[in-house]
Amino acid sequence: MYQASSTMPARLNRKQYTTSESHEHDSRQLRDRTWQIVAAKSQLSKPGDYVAINRLGIPLLIRNHDGELIAARNVCAHRQCELVELGNGNRKELKCGYHGWCYGGDGRTRKLPVAKDFPGFNREAHRLDMYPVRVVGGLVMVHLNPESIDADSSANKFDCVDGLDGWKDWSDEFARRSNDSQWGLIMNEELRFDCNWKVALEGSLEGYHLEEVHPHTFGPAPDEEHVNHMFYGSGTTLETIARNESWMTRLEIWLAHRMTGGHDPTYRHVHIFPNTTGAFQDSAGLIYQFYPLAPNRSAMIALGFGRLADRGGLVGKALAKLRGWGAAALTRRLIAEDGAIFPKVQRGMEGGNSRPRLFGRCEERLDAFHRHWMNTFDDEPISPSDTCDNRAITS
């Protein structure tokens, strides 16, 4: 059931989707105050494995250093050369290809060619910038503002100095949905959209568009009586057991029984404020995070996990692989369908319509996001009494 009793106004205005000032504000807030999903754990399973990305303006290197996952700015402390090219691979040493400076897992230099030419060299002053790393199931996460993390926090906790630690509430569920004992990685992609990151995120938080945008992949959204929305201080959820009667659904149920001995029809969608979501079914799950590239450009890291077979031997493993391939293909199609409509929303935002947007009762999770963003990240937060919690939302 929905919790809203009336139509709700959109609380973020169009300038917050279109201007350079808003883009810089959003990037800074996400960079300084949120955890970033940067890689799948399986990409970093062997010593020397690395992933190099750019995230929110920071060149980032995540590496398995003798069994420990570390994250560093991908820039040499000597002449600021890029340490490794973007992508992933394996290197025995963390070494700059320009002058041969080598670094340890703490970011300090381990080898300095012709060290006598650097008298009085200060290893503390000239080292790599390092970032906190957390592992949640099959996810590797990095915080790009080390000063915001509690210095006494262990490597398994999400304790932030400013209290913005919503991942503490959801890490167990996301770990269960991505651990390598039950799930295998079936998708690992960065996808880009010609729209503001909030446009893309909001498209994932409602099913009102399904019949129009996904008529052959999803079809109509379930009726209200078959949907349950829940609201919490750190996020929102949607649950439903309503399923269509297509041949794909029947095949999925048959495969589940062959591979695991049963089938749970529940579909669960989780939004962790502000920019992380998870879509979970019995057979597969997709965890994705949105982030800005420009006022009208955004990206999404998408990690998909398929359920491993626990029965059926080689046949069960083959069926799991086939089902994982099918789930990944369907996910790519759904994202492409969404990605085709997002630029139209962005152009509409930039068109300057003075009339305010509005949300229907079925879109109440968007209202929750707006309330949380304004109260937590905006320069002029709304009244605390107007924020979303686990009570019913009213306009």
Side-chain angles (χ1 to χ4, degrees):
M1 300 295 291
Y2 307 145
Q3 296 192 29
S5 58
S6 61
T7 301
M8 296 149 284
R11 299 173 187 275
L12 300 181
N13 62 58
R14 69 176 187 85
K15 291 183 179 179
Q16 290 170 288
Y17 295 76
T18 59
T19 65
S20 296
E21 293 79 8
S22 181
H23 165 68
E24 292 170 2
H25 169 270
D26 292 1
S27 298
R28 183 177 63 255
Q29 292 289 338
L30 293 173
R31 181 175 58 244
D32 290 350
R33 304 180 69 189
T34 67
W35 288 91
Q36 302 300 311
I37 300 174
V38 295
K41 182 182 174 183
S42 58
Q43 292 179 278
L44 301 161
S45 60
K46 300 190 295 286
D49 285 348
Y50 70 86
V51 174
I53 63 172
N54 284 319
R55 179 64 58 85
L56 297 171
I58 294 180
L60 195 62
L61 172 65
I62 307 94
R63 185 172 186 266
N64 182 326
H65 190 86
D66 296 332
E68 177 188 4
L69 297 188
I70 65 169
R73 188 181 289 264
N74 188 24
V75 177
C76 181
H78 174 214
R79 297 267 293 279
Q80 298 187 355
C81 177
E82 181 181 72
L83 290 172
V84 300
E85 295 182 355
L86 296 180
N88 61 286
N90 184 283
R91 287 193 177 185
K92 183 179 180 180
E93 294 180 295
L94 183 50
K95 178 181 177 182
C96 178
Y98 196 3
H99 298 95
W101 283 33
C102 293
Y103 297 91
D106 58 1
R108 296 181 177 87
T109 54
R110 292 292 185 269
K111 177 183 176 183
L112 200 66
V114 197
K116 64 182 180 63
D117 285 346
F118 295 85
F121 178 74
N122 187 334
R123 293 175 70 233
E124 292 298 323
H126 301 284
R127 54 181 292 182
L128 303 181
D129 293 334
M130 305 298 291
Y131 303 96
V133 177
R134 300 290 186 270
V135 176
V136 176
L139 311 176
V140 179
M141 307 178 67
V142 170
H143 204 295
L144 301 178
N145 181 15
E147 294 181 359
S148 72
I149 305 302
D150 188 340
D152 296 327
S153 176
S154 76
N156 297 318
K157 294 184 178 180
F158 293 88
D159 296 326
C160 300
V161 173
D162 64 2
L164 187 63
D165 49 7
W167 267 97
K168 290 173 66 176
D169 300 328
W170 304 98
S171 60
D172 286 348
E173 177 174 2
F174 276 61
R176 289 197 309 272
R177 297 287 192 165
S178 62
N179 68 78
D180 55 15
S181 65
Q182 292 180 294
W183 303 88
L185 187 69
I186 59 174
M187 181 178 180
N188 183 1
E189 298 180 12
E190 182 191 66
L191 303 162
R192 301 198 170 194
F193 305 111
D194 291 324
C195 67
N196 186 271
W197 71 275
K198 295 186 287 291
V199 169
L201 170 68
E202 290 169 5
S204 74
L205 298 180
E206 48 86 5
Y208 186 38
H209 70 282
L210 295 184
E211 187 170 12
E212 193 68 33
V213 178
H214 309 289
H216 305 297
T217 45
F218 263 137
D223 294 332
E224 178 180 353
E225 57 266 28
H226 296 123
V227 173
N228 187 33
H229 288 174
M230 294 297 293
F231 300 86
Y232 308 90
S234 56
T236 68
T237 63
L238 172 152
E239 279 195 8
T240 181
I241 60 171
R243 305 296 297 273
N244 60 43
E245 297 299 325
S246 69
W247 67 269
M248 291 180 63
T249 298
R250 293 193 294 272
L251 177 61
E252 177 188 341
I253 295 172
W254 180 83
L255 288 172
H257 280 279
R258 289 292 302 270
M259 292 167 47
T260 63
H263 178 258
D264 182 351
T266 304
Y267 171 82
R268 179 173 167 86
H269 188 276
V270 177
H271 176 206
I272 304 176
F273 295 143
N275 63 328
T276 303
T277 61
F280 303 122
Q281 300 180 71
D282 185 53
S283 59
L286 179 69
I287 297 171
Y288 45 115
Q289 188 175 65
F290 301 89
Y291 49 94
L293 299 174
N296 60 354
R297 288 279 289 163
S298 59
M300 176 182 81
I301 182 172
L303 299 179
F305 297 88
R307 184 74 176 269
L308 300 176
D310 56 19
R311 60 173 59 195
L314 293 177
V315 173
K317 291 181 180 180
L319 291 175
K321 187 173 183 178
L322 177 63
R323 186 169 65 169
W325 177 86
L330 177 60
T331 297
R332 292 187 184 95
R333 180 176 175 182
L334 292 169
I335 293 173
E337 291 171 349
D338 280 330
I341 201 72
F342 292 159
K344 299 179 181 180
V345 179
Q346 185 66 32
R347 290 194 293 270
M349 289 279 194
E350 295 168 353
N353 191 341
S354 61
R355 296 183 182 275
R357 296 175 298 150
L358 74 162
F359 301 141
R361 294 175 58 245
C362 60
E363 299 170 300
E364 60 185 350
R365 296 177 71 209
L366 280 74
D367 178 69
F369 163 62
H370 280 212
R371 291 171 182 261
H372 185 272
W373 182 262
M374 292 185 68
N375 194 61
T376 308
F377 297 97
D378 202 65
D379 293 332
E380 297 181 1
I382 60 178
S383 168
S385 63
D386 206 23
T387 59
C388 173
D389 56 17
N390 60 348
R391 295 169 295 180
I393 295 177
T394 56
S395 160

